[in-house]
Amino acid sequence: MTLFRQTRTRIGLLALAGLAGCGDCVLIGCYNGLQINLDALPAGTFTISALVPGQPGEVITCVESSPCGTSHGFQDITASEVEIVINTSVGASRHTIRPQYEASSGSCGGECRFATVAVSIPR
């Protein structure tokens, strides 16, 4: 190995070691929330509301159904009971759910709680 190559390799390893120590504490992939998976994609405009007693509701509005997809997330909802309301052009459906949250943690040691629930759209 040439001196140039050895030096370049050492510099590269030092840079990687420096990155590992720089901001070790990350919460990538670790957040509190509730994901709602619809059993089908509603036609046209639709809304999904997440209602928790004693808190303001959160609403997701999809104007074009294709780009919105069937999975929708509500960040920071970790209530033991949540009412999900789906409004479409054919009507509304209400679902009272009791999510089973799974705990995970980021490299910071903090705990995050996340659940996924499947619900039916109005038909």
Side-chain angles (χ1 to χ4, degrees), residues 30-112:
C30 183
Y31 63 93
N32 292 316
L34 177 64
Q35 179 175 314
I36 304 299
N37 291 335
L38 304 178
D39 68 340
L41 187 63
T45 299
F46 65 95
T47 62
I48 303 171
S49 303
L51 308 171
V52 176
Q55 297 180 12
E58 292 188 38
V59 179
I60 295 173
T61 301
C62 291
V63 178
E64 298 293 327
S65 59
S66 294
C68 285
T70 56
S71 293
H72 304 274
F74 292 93
Q75 193 166 353
D76 294 325
I77 290 183
T78 57
S80 59
E81 185 173 291
V82 181
E83 183 174 15
I84 302 299
V85 181
I86 303 167
N87 286 298
T88 70
S89 60
V90 297
S93 63
R94 292 182 168 281
H95 309 270
T96 300
I97 59 171
R98 290 173 184 79
Q100 299 297 310
Y101 295 95
E102 293 183 21
S104 64
S105 61
S107 63
C108 298
E111 183 177 276
C112 300

